[in-house]
Amino acid sequence: MRLTKYTDLALRAVMRLAVVDGRERLTTQQIAEAVRVPYTHMAKAITHLQRLGVIEAHRGRGGGLALTASGRRTGVGQLVRQLEGDHETVQCEGDNPCPLAGGCRLRHALLQAQEAFYTSLDRLGVDDLVVSPTGPVLLSLGGPPG
C-alpha cells in the first residue's frame, strides 16, 4: 500500500502539532518549514484537516494551529482513510475496464490487503506517532520564534 504525498504532508502536520501538545500554537508556514515542504501544499492539507475537525485555527495575536481534542483521539487508520478518500487499490471499471473484472480473484485479494493495511493503522492513535524518538526529533525541527 502506498500513501499519497498529500496524506504524508497531512500526517506530518498532525504529528508536529501533537508534539507541542497545546503548549504552543504553530502557523502553517512554521509547520511547512519544519517538515520542508512548500507552504501551498501544506496549506491545502491544513484546510482539509480543519474540515475534518482534527485541527483548529485561531486568528490574531496568540493565534495559530492546534490539534482538537477529537483530533488527538483520532485513530491513524481512520485519518488515513479520510485523507486518502474512498478508492480501491486497483481500478477495474472506468474508461478502460479490465476484461477480467467478471471473474478476477485479484481485486478481492487487493481489497483485503488494503483493509489489513488500514486495520494495522487503526491500532495507532495520534499520540502514538510522537513518542520517543519521534517526538524529540519533531521538536528539534523548529517551532515558533522565541
Side-chain angles (χ1 to χ4, degrees):
M1 181 79 203
R2 185 173 186 164
L3 299 178
T4 61
K5 287 186 181 234
Y6 177 78
T7 297
D8 179 47
L9 292 180
L11 290 172
R12 289 190 215 183
V14 168
M15 291 169 66
R16 185 64 180 99
L17 290 169
V19 78
V20 295
D21 195 27
R23 296 181 301 250
E24 308 167 8
R25 295 206 183 261
L26 302 175
T27 66
T28 301
Q29 183 69 42
Q30 290 168 325
I31 295 170
E33 288 173 2
V35 299
R36 299 182 182 129
V37 299
Y39 169 81
T40 54
H41 295 357
M42 185 56 72
K44 184 178 175 184
I46 293 292
T47 300
H48 192 174
L49 290 167
Q50 283 179 270
R51 281 195 315 265
L52 293 174
V54 174
I55 63 172
E56 59 189 2
H58 298 276
R59 295 180 183 261
R61 190 174 185 92
L65 303 169
L67 278 180
T68 62
S70 65
R72 187 165 291 284
R73 290 188 308 269
T74 298
V76 176
Q78 176 188 350
L79 185 55
V80 170
R81 282 181 186 93
Q82 292 173 318
L83 292 166
E84 287 288 308
D86 188 24
H87 65 274
E88 294 184 25
T89 305
V90 294
Q91 297 296 320
C92 298
E93 291 91 27
D95 294 338
N96 189 18
C98 176
L100 301 175
C104 181
R105 296 184 70 194
L106 178 61
R107 181 180 189 183
H108 181 69
L110 290 174
L111 287 171
Q112 285 183 315
Q114 182 179 21
E115 188 52 37
F117 172 78
Y118 288 136
T119 300
S120 70
L121 292 176
D122 286 336
R123 295 182 201 120
L124 296 171
V126 169
D127 286 335
D128 295 323
L129 298 177
V130 296
V131 296
S132 188
T134 307
V137 171
L138 283 164
L139 288 172
S140 74
L141 297 178

